[in-house]
Amino acid sequence: MAERQWDVVVIGGGPAGYTAAIRAVQHGLRPLLVERAELGGTCLNRGCIPSKALIHCAKVWQQVRHAERFGVIVSGACKDWQGMRAWADRTVATLRRGLQTLLRHHGVTVWRGEAQPVSEHELRLTLPDGTVQTVTTHATIWATGSSPNMLPHHPDAPVFTEEQALFWDALPDRLVVIGGGASGVELAWLFNALGVRVTLLEMLPRLLPVMDAEIADALADALQRQGIVVRTSVKVERIDATNGRALVHCSDGTQLDADAVICAVGRKPNSEPLRPLGVTLNADGTVAVNAWQQTSAPTAFAVGDVVRGGGTAHGGMAEGERAAKAVAHWLHRRTLPPPPEPLVVPFCVYCEPQAVRMGLTEADARKGGYEVVISRFAWRACGAAVVTGETEGFVKIVADKKTERILGVHILGTDAANLNGEAGALVAHGQTVGRAVTLVRQHPSLSEGLGEALWALLGIPLHSAHRSERRRP
């Protein structure tokens, strides 16, 4: 007979959920992980991983097209969308098998099914064969994720979500992407790189409003130079169908004819399953939690997109770790651990050039009352960038002039996302400029760009003539 009593049941097998389950085992608990579809959630199966696999394919195609500048002559090369799709599918399958093995290794029991709360300590699980089992648990961690929003449109119009666009059988000729957040920008870049004529619409004054304004504006310029038509401060009023195509009506009176439209206009939390528990929901439907991910029901915790709406996988994983620790503490002592430090979560966009935000933007720092000092370092002065021919973009560091504490690191450039770890260490650990600059960085490497920006903050730039506004020590 299947086990019916568990220390904690985790509902949702995406990054936030499976992290919580693994950490629960490591805290000495017996977790059950329930997933209604495929392990890995949206990120692995329909989001982060397949999109980044396709973006990588597009980058390879771009490298082949421009290989002659490096003395490599490629004749007769052509792109194969189905082949790229196959690569993305293999990537997803490989990581999904790895996740299944990982969970077995850690001793996490996984059931496939739909979970519905009967009470705070009892769940009804509907399994794939239709049978229903009831399990009891001391606590639950809800990681039910989110679903993509969709704008109203004519039912015959070819309008797709950001997830559906990754699985097209063929590429369109003309494409309209609605939404200038990370998903919209990445998809616009992907399809433009593969030869699709792309128009990117954003209702706000700039793309990527959560990014530092300088980074966002520079990236918009880069996208336009690559051939993407970027239009901001434009709202979509309606989407009609015409001869199997879409006609997008914009607030400025223009109309856009397209073979396909992608709605990348945010996501809504899958919080409906928690309503029977009576937990407090925010106005946007996200679940209200405290710093330890605890809901208004003391033994119910929530992590990931169901809390943040359209959050990040890595942010959800960090929340999953916190929730597992909090559940273990709560079950053993009936209290939560001391308040944790706020999470500093990176925000990255995987187009070309890539963009990274870590910590406060310049505008946020000024609003926060800091006496702000900033510096920038252009990649064209970095040896590692020059040898690869990828010199577009810059590093920008925001610091507090009074304490020299690093408040934010912002990067635009090739492979910028892989610098998020160093940037995170500088910001999350409250590093000062003077201490951070003492780290010896490999030459040549992109990490040197952060060091150069730090030197500039001290007023003693090395490979740049630009200084910050603070005085030389």
Side-chain angles (χ1 to χ4, degrees), residues 52-65 84 189-194:
K52 303 311 175 284
L54 291 172
I55 286 171
H56 175 71
C57 293
K59 289 183 178 180
V60 172
W61 169 240
Q62 293 286 66
Q63 290 169 346
V64 169
R65 289 182 59 216
M84 295 178 182
W189 184 89
L190 166 65
F191 292 113
N192 178 74
L194 297 177

Side-chain angles (χ1 to χ4, degrees), residues 231-251:
R231 297 176 58 188
T232 55
S233 299
V234 174
K235 186 176 181 179
V236 173
E237 295 186 333
R238 72 178 191 275
I239 306 173
D240 291 332
T242 173
N243 299 321
R245 297 165 61 81
L247 188 63
V248 181
H249 298 262
C250 301
S251 57

Side-chain angles (χ1 to χ4, degrees), residues 437 451-452 454-464 466-468 471-473:
V437 81
E452 294 282 354
L454 291 167
W455 283 119
L457 274 173
L458 292 176
I460 48 174
L462 185 60
H463 292 98
S464 170
H466 298 290
R467 302 176 181 176
S468 71
R471 292 186 298 112
R472 185 185 181 112

Side-chain angles (χ1 to χ4, degrees), residues 305-329:
D305 279 10
V306 75
V307 173
R308 305 298 172 198
T312 62
H314 45 283
M317 294 169 77
E319 292 171 355
E321 292 194 56
R322 284 196 169 178
K325 181 177 180 178
V327 167
H329 204 279

Side-chain angles (χ1 to χ4, degrees), residues 41-57:
T42 296
C43 179
L44 174 54
N45 296 286
R46 302 176 302 281
C48 319
I49 297 302
S51 68
K52 303 311 175 284
L54 291 172
I55 286 171
H56 175 71
C57 293

Side-chain angles (χ1 to χ4, degrees), residues 113-303:
E114 188 91 22
Q116 182 178 11
V118 177
S119 68
E120 194 171 335
H121 298 284
E122 189 175 11
L123 292 166
R124 183 181 294 113
L125 306 182
T126 304
L127 305 182
D129 62 2
T131 61
V132 176
Q133 292 197 15
T134 300
V135 298
T136 57
T137 180
H138 297 300
T140 54
I141 299 176
W142 295 85
T144 46
S146 63
S147 301
N149 289 323
M150 175 64 81
L151 293 177
H153 60 276
H154 190 282
D156 295 330
V159 182
F160 304 86
T161 67
E162 58 195 22
E163 296 176 5
Q164 293 170 329
L166 302 176
F167 302 96
W168 281 336
D169 291 330
L171 296 174
D173 179 41
R174 291 183 179 272
L175 171 66
V176 172
V177 179
I178 304 172
S183 293
V185 169
E186 289 177 356
L187 291 171
W189 184 89
L190 166 65
F191 292 113
N192 178 74
L194 297 177
V196 178
R197 289 176 284 183
V198 178
T199 299
L200 176 59
L201 303 179
E202 169 56 48
M203 66 181 294
L204 297 177
R206 63 164 46 96
L207 300 181
L208 301 167
V210 302
M211 282 282 185
D212 186 88
E214 280 190 79
I215 298 289
D217 290 343
L219 179 55
D221 291 342
L223 296 177
Q224 292 183 94
R225 286 194 298 272
Q226 294 176 47
I228 299 173
V229 177
V230 177
R231 297 176 58 188
T232 55
S233 299
V234 174
K235 186 176 181 179
V236 173
E237 295 186 333
R238 72 178 191 275
I239 306 173
D240 291 332
T242 173
N243 299 321
R245 297 165 61 81
L247 188 63
V248 181
H249 298 262
C250 301
S251 57
D252 60 0
T254 60
Q255 298 178 356
L256 299 173
D257 181 66
D259 300 296
V261 174
I262 299 174
C263 281
V265 290
R267 303 179 67 88
K268 53 182 178 290
N270 296 332
S271 56
E272 197 62 31
L274 284 84
R275 288 188 183 275
L277 294 175
V279 301
T280 301
L281 301 181
N282 298 312
D284 60 358
T286 55
V287 180
V289 295
N290 62 22
W292 283 108
Q293 309 302 131
Q294 186 183 43
T295 71
S296 57
T299 59
F301 295 73
V303 295

